[in-house]
Amino acid sequence: MSIIKCPCQQNSTYENCCKRFHISPHLIETPTQLVYARYSAFVLKLPNYIKQTMKNPALKYFDVSHIINSSISWQGISIITLKYPEASASTCLIKFKVTCKDTSNTNDTFCVNETGLFKQIDNQWFYIDALQISQESISE
């Protein structure tokens, strides 16, 4: 049996990290865990999990074929900030950065900076919306 490092790069094996969340999304206890698990799901092309962890308005942009047929090579993710804007801890804003390569024909490296809105609904965290998103090229 080969040991596969988790795509979320949290220094663990996939078996001991995001796999349990991909099997049972309700096990996620924090919005940060959801960010990393969703990133791993994009790397591993798991559209069902990605959809299970979304609510509107984000669901309006869900596209299975875009996930399955993506020419993106995922290079890494880092969480920049997280903030709970309300008195309760059930809403969280997370700013994160994802680095990617477009392997379709250019092999260009770029990063996507996003501030995402996450909410806990019935004791499960969901991705709700991209409040701010930008992309920039990275020179190598």
Side-chain angles (χ1 to χ4, degrees), residues 4-116:
I4 301 169
K5 186 171 184 204
C6 193
C8 78
Q9 303 170 332
Q10 295 302 295
N11 298 319
S12 188
T13 64
Y14 176 65
E15 187 76 29
N16 293 323
C17 194
C18 289
K19 183 177 181 178
R20 63 192 163 122
F21 300 138
H22 292 161
I23 294 169
S24 302
H26 66 278
L27 294 177
I28 290 178
E29 297 175 355
T30 69
T32 303
Q33 287 176 330
L34 180 58
V35 171
Y36 287 122
R38 284 177 52 83
Y39 173 81
S40 290
F42 276 99
V43 173
L44 299 171
K45 299 187 178 195
L46 303 174
N48 291 339
Y49 175 80
I50 294 165
K51 186 175 183 180
Q52 281 181 313
T53 59
M54 298 171 79
K55 294 283 186 191
N56 278 322
L59 270 173
K60 290 188 288 187
Y61 305 103
F62 178 77
D63 182 352
V64 171
S65 66
H66 179 71
I67 295 165
I68 298 292
N69 301 315
S70 175
S71 62
I72 299 299
S73 169
W74 302 91
Q75 305 294 302
I77 183 169
S78 56
I79 292 180
I80 311 299
T81 60
L82 66 127
K83 181 172 126 182
Y84 293 90
E86 298 175 359
S88 82
S90 64
T91 300
C92 187
L93 299 172
I94 300 180
K95 183 175 183 178
F96 58 95
K97 177 180 178 176
V98 176
T99 305
C100 310
K101 276 190 182 183
D102 181 356
T103 61
S104 61
N105 59 12
T106 60
N107 220 26
D108 289 340
T109 303
F110 62 96
C111 69
V112 176
N113 296 293
E114 179 176 337
T115 299

